[in-house]
């Protein structure tokens, strides 16, 4: 097996560079995935706005949305100088807008197309994409469909498959329901690892704790966590120690101090305060003082600035009443 992995899942409106930076202060080894960026956005838009990140974020992955070999290759050529550790193709998103563009999960129906994209990107840029997909879609719920997808795509050179262990319904369920209604089928992902032992297989979906991640790692190379990292970022503070045996154990006050220094650097560059404070809201969620912390951050946003003592003065451990 390759080195075990824990990853923060790509999430639109969530895993921007600021949340990723916060997660990096909490865990040094977790691989951080960006929000999905569409090929044309990189080719025609303000690439730096979507691609800039802090050097501390490594290992960091960019997620690309594309259905077209030529556009994918051009977009990766644009992104390449930024030095991402991995570029991942989104073959899992069922949102109507993404479906309309012909990319996301509907690409699972045409693994040959995915393979073409992977080959075009490799020929043009030398970058070997990874792929994030589902265990199936619509009427294609059997393991043979999944295994064929992986086989065809692996033949184009993909080595890393991140599998959201649910199938997607392209009609009748909105994206949110598509993350809760179809049942989790991690056993299918485990079977993939048995059938394709040479590939790096990462399991995703519904993993809420380090114990659940550890349980996955008995079967696959890695686990990816989305909502449970956004909802409870501090829950992952033990990740480096538990998964990789590191001595490093982050201290929440030190994390806040470092995040605050980062926040001021970004503010000076014109990043809005709201975008910088948003990742912090859940840092004490479910703990004594957690609600008060959120209220204090809300008040700071209404005032348009942090209070004199900074974030540390607002933190529950500073003695703020619960
Ligand atoms: C708000 C939100 C946005 C998401 N955006 C993306 C995305 O841009 N690309 C992608 O591949 N998956 C996206 N996902 C799916 C997650 O990456 C992940 O596969 C899914 O949430 C299941 O993992 P979890 O149960 O650990 O959250 C998104 C999920 C959420 C909740």
């Amino acid at each position: 097996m390759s080195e075990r992995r824990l990853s923060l899942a790509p999430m639109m409106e969530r895993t921007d560079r600021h949340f990723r930076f916060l997660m990096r202060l909490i865990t040094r080894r977790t691989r951080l995935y960006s929000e999905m960026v569409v090929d044309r956005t990189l080719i025609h838009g303000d690439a730096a706005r979507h691609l800039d990140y802090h050097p501390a974020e490594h290992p960091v992955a960019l997620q690309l949305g594309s259905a077209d070999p030529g556009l994918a290759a051009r977009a990766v050529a644009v992104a390449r100088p930024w030095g991402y550790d991995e570029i991942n193709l989104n073959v899992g998103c069922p949102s109507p807008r993404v479906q309309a563009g012909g990319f996301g999960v509907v690409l699972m129906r045409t693994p040959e197309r995915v393979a073409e994209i992977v080959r075009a990107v490799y020929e043009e840029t030398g970058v070997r994409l990874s792929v994030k997909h589902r265990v199936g879609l619509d009427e294609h719920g059997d393991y043979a469909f999944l295994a064929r997808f992986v086989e065809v795509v692996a033949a184009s050179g993909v080595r890393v498959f991140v599998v959201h262990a649910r199938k997607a319904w392209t009609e009748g369920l909105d994206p949110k329901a598509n993350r809760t209604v179809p049942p989790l089928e991690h056993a299918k992902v485990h079977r993939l690892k048995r059938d394709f032992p040479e590939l790096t297989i990462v399991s995703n979906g519904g993993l809420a704790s380090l114990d659940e991640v550890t349980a996955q790692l008995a079967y696959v190379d890695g686990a990816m966590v989305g909502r449970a990292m956004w909802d409870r970022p501090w829950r992952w503070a033990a990740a480096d120690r538990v998964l990789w045996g590191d001595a490093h154990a982050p201290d929440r006050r030190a994390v806040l101090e470092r995040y605050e220094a980062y926040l001021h650097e970004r503010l000076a560059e014109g990043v809005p305060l709201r975008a910088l404070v948003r990742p912090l809201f859940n840092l004490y969620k479910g703990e004594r003082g957690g609600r008060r912390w959120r209220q204090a951050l809300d008040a700071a946003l209404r005032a348009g600035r942090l209070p004199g003592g900074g974030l540390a003065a607002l933190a529950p451990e500073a003695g703020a009443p619960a």
Side-chain angles (χ1 to χ4, degrees):
M1 283 219 187
S2 53
E3 204 206 341
R4 43 184 22 200
R5 288 187 180 209
L6 174 64
S7 303
L8 165 68
M11 290 184 285
M12 298 296 293
E13 313 282 331
R14 301 275 190 284
T15 57
D16 62 13
R17 54 180 301 194
H18 313 306
F19 182 61
R20 297 195 310 259
F21 186 81
L22 177 69
M23 285 309 299
R24 175 58 69 233
L25 297 177
I26 296 173
T27 149
R28 290 182 187 171
R29 299 243 211 161
T30 299
R31 182 169 284 251
L32 308 173
Y33 283 68
S34 76
E35 304 169 270
M36 177 185 72
V37 188
V38 176
D39 51 14
R40 288 181 196 276
T41 305
L42 291 181
I43 296 166
H44 304 297
D46 176 359
R49 192 165 80 81
H50 296 280
L51 294 173
D52 282 354
Y53 62 88
H54 193 284
E57 285 180 45
H58 290 291
V60 61
L62 172 69
Q63 194 190 49
L64 180 69
S66 183
D68 181 276
L71 292 177
R74 281 171 65 195
V76 171
V78 170
R80 201 168 165 239
W82 269 263
Y84 280 87
D85 300 285
E86 175 182 335
I87 300 185
N88 174 269
L89 185 68
N90 182 338
V91 187
C93 180
S95 93
R97 256 187 61 213
V98 165
Q99 281 191 49
F103 53 101
V105 75
V106 295
L107 280 171
M108 280 196 81
R109 291 204 185 99
T110 52
E112 295 79 7
R113 182 75 172 170
V114 176
E116 267 179 59
I117 293 172
V118 170
R119 286 201 182 93
V121 166
Y122 187 74
E123 276 162 25
E124 184 82 14
T125 67
V127 171
R128 215 183 266 284
L129 294 176
S130 65
V131 170
K132 178 168 180 279
H133 59 100
R134 298 253 186 166
V135 291
L137 81 166
D138 298 336
E139 72 279 17
H140 302 296
D142 55 338
Y143 178 76
F145 174 84
L146 173 63
R148 180 169 184 276
F149 174 83
V150 169
E151 188 178 358
V152 172
V153 174
S156 70
V158 173
R159 291 287 166 268
V160 178
F161 290 80
V162 181
V163 193
H164 184 176
R166 283 191 170 90
K167 79 179 195 183
W169 292 101
T170 57
E171 280 173 37
L173 287 188
D174 65 19
K176 195 168 175 198
N178 259 313
R179 291 192 291 266
T180 50
V181 175
L184 284 165
E185 300 183 90
H186 283 287
K188 277 190 180 160
V189 187
H190 304 167
R191 187 169 167 196
L192 276 182
K193 180 65 198 177
R194 289 200 301 276
D195 290 349
F196 300 90
E198 70 286 4
L199 300 177
T200 296
I201 304 286
V202 177
S203 200
N204 164 243
L207 306 176
S209 67
L210 271 172
D211 282 349
E212 291 179 17
V213 161
T214 307
Q216 288 300 316
L217 294 176
Y219 302 99
V220 288
D221 305 284
M224 173 180 270
V225 177
R227 288 164 291 183
M229 285 204 189
W230 176 261
D231 291 343
R232 302 287 169 118
W234 194 251
R235 182 172 286 174
W236 307 93
D240 297 353
R241 185 173 49 76
V242 171
L243 299 182
W244 295 285
D246 288 6
H248 162 76
D251 166 79
R252 203 157 18 176
R253 298 190 68 79
V255 165
L256 277 182
E257 268 171 35
R258 289 177 61 193
Y259 190 81
E260 190 163 359
Y262 168 88
L263 178 150
H264 286 295
E265 282 166 26
R266 300 287 84 70
L267 277 180
E269 293 168 0
V271 176
L273 182 64
R274 175 168 296 280
L276 293 159
V277 166
R278 212 169 77 103
L280 296 169
F281 270 91
N282 292 334
L283 196 59
Y284 293 90
K285 190 172 176 177
E287 294 175 44
R288 206 174 145 81
R291 262 189 62 199
R292 209 179 165 85
W293 164 252
R294 292 179 74 97
Q295 288 164 352
L297 293 180
D298 265 330
L301 287 179
R302 278 196 303 277
R305 61 183 169 74
L306 295 180
L311 290 172
L314 304 177
E317 286 115 328

